[in-house]
């Protein structure tokens, strides 16, 4: 497919136009306007639907200009045929009296603009505006595509790391990876209706929220805490949580990563529990005095 046109601030000299018109006098008038505004413009003229379909398939055009009344068919038919053929080109009606109701129907159908014959001075302005709108639309599409690619890469990365990952924006979770689902027991849809702090045990939630607020007041370095959450099945898990702040959509958002340290905490609790320490000491003593077999 030919490369798409990109609008620039400097005036265009060259323009590729498909003109759909069955009146030779109006063709001459339209060509005169085009050559004055765009000295190096190329214009193909067609009358019938067959000719139009043939040209729209084989060539690239910056803009399509079409009369509304074309004998057995109309400019609106031409626009619909162009869409059916999968082409998305700025389409401007250059027509006689159209009537308010018909003009509204054309605009609603997606036609870019219309210019009344007799007001030829508006044609170059309408073309320029249509090309600018197309350039902005293409830029928006490119930005959306880049954003989707970026989101996909981030999701692949977040799903590959072993830590549960959450993004909080405002009071809602806007992202949670698969590890987060597995750790909490909540589905992805359920997590997006919550925020991370709802998982934290109430006894520590208020203290930790206050500590985080104080920590991030004035700077955006990460902080790390050990805390307890309650999973969907009401189990308690210890997590080592790291939180960082970043700018997002004009506000601040938090990136939270969490690693399950429940097993480690259980071992530490056993080690420092006086009763369990006595058990371990007794086991060690028995091992020390137990008779050893001779080799």
């Amino acid at each position: 497919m030919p490369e798409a046109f990109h609008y620039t601030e400097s005036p265009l000299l060259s323009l590729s136009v498909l003109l759909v018109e069955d009146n030779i006098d109006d063709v001459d008038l339209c060509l005169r306007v085009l050559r004055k505004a765009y000295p190096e413009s190329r214009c193909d003229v067609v009358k019938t639907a067959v000719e139009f379909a043939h040209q729209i398939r084989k060539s690239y055009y910056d803009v399509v200009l079409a009369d509304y009344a074309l004998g057995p068919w109309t400019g609106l038919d031409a626009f619909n045929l162009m869409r059916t053929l999968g082409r998305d080109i700025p389409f401007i009606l250059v027509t006689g009296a159209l009537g308010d109701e018909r003009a509204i129907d054309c605009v609603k159908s997606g036609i870019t603009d219309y210019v009344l014959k007799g007001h030829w001075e508006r044609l170059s302005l309408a073309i320029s505006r249509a090309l600018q709108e197309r350039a902005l639309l293409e830029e928006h599409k490119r930005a959306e595509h880049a954003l989707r690619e970026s989101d996909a890469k981030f999701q692949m990365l977040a799903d590959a790391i072993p830590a549960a990952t959450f993004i909080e924006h405002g009071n809602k979770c806007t992202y949670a990876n698969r590890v987060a689902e597995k750790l909490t027991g909540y589905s992805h849809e359920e997590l997006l209706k919550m925020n991370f702090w709802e998982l934290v045990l109430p006894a520590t939630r208020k203290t930790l929220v206050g500590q985080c607020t104080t920590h991030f007041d004035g700077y955006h370095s990460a902080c790390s805490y050990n805390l307890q959450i309650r999973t969907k099945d009401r189990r308690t898990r210890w997590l080592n949580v790291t939180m960082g702040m970043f700018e997002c959509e004009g506000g601040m958002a938090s990136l939270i990563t969490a690693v399950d340290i429940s097993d480690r905490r259980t071992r530490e609790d056993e080690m420092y529990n006086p009763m369990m320490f006595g058990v371990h000491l007794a086991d060690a003593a028995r091992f020390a005095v137990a008779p050893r077999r001779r080799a």
Side-chain angles (χ1 to χ4, degrees):
M1 181 177 292
E3 185 178 356
F5 165 80
H6 301 297
Y7 177 80
T8 60
E9 291 293 335
S10 58
L12 287 171
L13 297 178
S14 178
L15 193 69
S16 181
V17 181
L18 179 59
L19 175 59
V20 190
E21 177 61 76
D22 60 355
N23 185 311
I24 189 63
D25 293 331
D26 288 338
V27 169
D28 290 339
L29 283 170
C30 191
L31 290 179
R32 245 181 276 166
V33 173
L34 287 173
R35 285 166 185 160
K36 182 178 179 180
Y38 307 95
E40 299 177 15
S41 61
R42 174 179 67 86
C43 184
D44 295 327
V45 181
V46 297
K47 298 179 181 179
T48 68
V50 173
E51 294 172 340
F52 177 80
H54 176 72
Q55 288 298 130
I56 212 77
R57 283 192 183 103
K58 78 168 190 175
S59 302
Y60 172 82
Y61 295 100
D62 296 310
V63 65
V64 175
L65 308 177
D67 193 356
Y68 185 86
L70 296 166
W73 69 312
T74 67
L76 186 56
D77 295 331
F79 174 76
N80 292 330
L81 178 55
M82 181 186 75
R83 287 289 182 86
T84 300
L85 294 173
R87 301 302 299 273
D88 187 13
I89 305 170
F91 194 104
I92 299 173
L93 285 177
V94 183
T95 185
L98 195 59
D100 292 342
E101 186 175 344
R102 189 174 292 170
I104 291 172
D105 289 341
C106 290
V107 172
K108 283 183 177 179
S109 70
I111 285 176
T112 310
D113 202 350
Y114 70 94
V115 175
L116 295 179
K117 292 178 180 179
H119 296 274
W120 294 103
E121 70 281 357
R122 284 200 63 246
L123 182 57
S124 59
L125 179 62
I127 292 173
S128 178
R129 184 168 55 235
L131 296 179
Q132 289 184 58
E133 290 175 357
R134 169 49 53 87
L136 291 173
L137 178 61
E138 288 181 353
E139 183 62 32
H140 180 67
K141 288 180 178 178
R142 284 194 294 272
E144 283 188 335
H145 179 70
L147 182 60
R148 284 194 297 270
E149 283 192 335
S150 178
D151 287 345
K153 290 176 181 177
F154 170 79
Q155 186 165 337
M156 288 177 63
L157 176 63
D159 285 340
I161 63 176
T165 303
F166 306 83
I167 293 179
E168 299 273 325
H169 193 199
N171 295 321
K172 290 293 181 182
C173 174
T174 58
Y175 176 80
N177 68 353
R178 293 173 185 172
V179 182
E181 297 176 45
K182 184 176 180 181
L183 176 64
T184 64
Y186 289 99
S187 69
H188 185 258
E189 291 73 20
E190 289 172 324
L191 287 172
L192 294 186
K193 295 177 182 178
M194 306 167 62
N195 66 65
F196 177 78
W197 296 105
E198 293 178 48
L199 300 170
V200 180
L201 294 188
T204 56
R205 184 187 305 155
K206 186 175 182 180
T207 301
L208 285 171
V209 169
Q211 289 177 355
C212 287
T213 302
T214 302
H215 180 89
F216 289 119
D217 185 18
Y219 62 98
H220 306 151
S221 62
C223 60
S224 183
Y225 303 97
N226 289 343
L227 53 80
Q228 287 179 292
I229 67 164
R230 196 175 304 281
T231 63
K232 186 176 181 178
D233 60 5
R234 312 307 295 171
R235 291 188 301 164
T236 300
R237 309 295 296 176
W238 273 100
L239 305 182
N240 175 254
V241 174
T242 300
M243 303 182 189
M245 303 292 292
F246 64 97
E247 292 185 8
C248 177
E249 297 179 357
M252 298 303 298
S254 56
L255 174 64
I256 304 169
T257 58
V259 177
D260 191 346
I261 58 170
S262 300
D263 293 342
R264 190 184 81 190
R265 285 297 299 239
T266 300
R267 290 194 297 270
E268 290 175 354
D269 290 344
E270 289 178 353
M271 183 178 297
Y272 293 106
N273 185 303
M275 294 184 62
M276 292 304 298
F277 181 76
V279 171
H280 294 320
L281 186 62
D283 288 342
R286 282 196 296 272
F287 177 79
V289 301
R292 300 179 181 179
R293 296 180 180 177
R294 294 182 179 181

